[in-house]
Amino acid sequence: MTNNNLALTNEIFTISTNIKNIGLEDINNHLVELFINDVNIGKKYVNIRANSSQTIFFDLTLPRYGKHQGLIKIDNDDKNINNCFYFIIDLKDKINIDIIDNQSNPYLKNILLSFNINSPIININNYDTKSYINSSTDNNTLFII
């Protein structure tokens, strides 16, 4: 969905959507809109043949961390049952990263900590193999070296 694995506030990132025309008729100059928190963020016009699909990209930025409600909506067509797609963008203000490294790689640590220049958003937990297996961590990012 994004072009980055790490999205930060006030930095441009891209989301994409794949729109499939499941109708019996081609759609021409149909408006596709992106809404975030009920604010219209972007508009694109599309032409999609019947039983074909097209990927559309929107560039956006979000002013704050937290959960943001998203909606991608397309104009009415001959099958209106699927013209709205709802989703959540969750910008985490803190990212917990686990590193399994028996030798403590300083390069990786310095790269990750460079994200903390303006505000501390990266928290690193270092482990060796044995201590990681015995830990009860549930972070979603893991480096194994």
Side-chain angles (χ1 to χ4, degrees):
M1 185 156 156
T2 72
N3 59 343
N4 298 319
N5 290 328
L6 176 62
L8 302 173
T9 60
N10 299 315
E11 289 193 8
I12 296 173
F13 64 97
T14 302
I15 63 170
S16 65
T17 183
N18 190 1
I19 298 177
K20 183 170 185 175
N21 179 0
I22 63 169
L24 301 174
E25 301 172 8
D26 294 349
I27 58 174
N28 294 305
N29 292 321
H30 267 56
L31 179 63
V32 178
E33 297 176 281
L34 169 65
F35 293 87
I36 302 294
N37 299 325
D38 296 322
V39 175
N40 191 313
I41 300 295
K43 300 177 181 184
K44 304 246 175 154
Y45 287 93
V46 296
N47 300 319
I48 306 174
R49 301 184 73 136
N51 291 317
S52 296
S53 62
Q54 181 177 346
T55 301
I56 298 170
F57 299 91
F58 291 100
D59 292 333
L60 69 141
T61 183
L62 296 172
R64 61 178 168 72
Y65 291 105
K67 293 186 180 185
H68 303 273
Q69 296 176 345
L71 164 64
I72 294 176
K73 181 171 83 169
I74 190 166
D75 279 344
N76 292 338
D77 57 10
D78 61 334
K79 297 239 179 172
N80 291 323
I81 61 171
N82 65 343
N83 288 359
C84 293
F85 175 72
Y86 296 90
F87 59 96
I88 299 289
I89 297 175
D90 189 4
L91 278 185
K92 306 269 186 197
D93 61 344
K94 300 272 187 217
I95 300 169
N96 293 313
I97 297 176
D98 294 335
I99 300 174
I100 300 175
D101 184 4
N102 292 329
Q103 314 214 319
S104 187
N105 184 326
Y107 302 108
L108 177 60
K109 183 178 178 180
N110 288 337
I111 289 169
L112 294 173
L113 290 177
S114 70
F115 287 101
N116 290 344
I117 290 174
N118 293 331
S119 63
I121 62 170
I122 301 282
N123 180 33
I124 299 173
N125 302 304
N126 290 297
Y127 299 93
D128 60 20
T129 308
K130 185 177 180 180
S131 64
Y132 184 78
I133 291 171
N134 294 329
S135 72
S136 61
T137 185
D138 63 351
N139 297 328
N140 61 0
T141 305
L142 172 64
F143 287 94
I144 302 173
I145 301 179

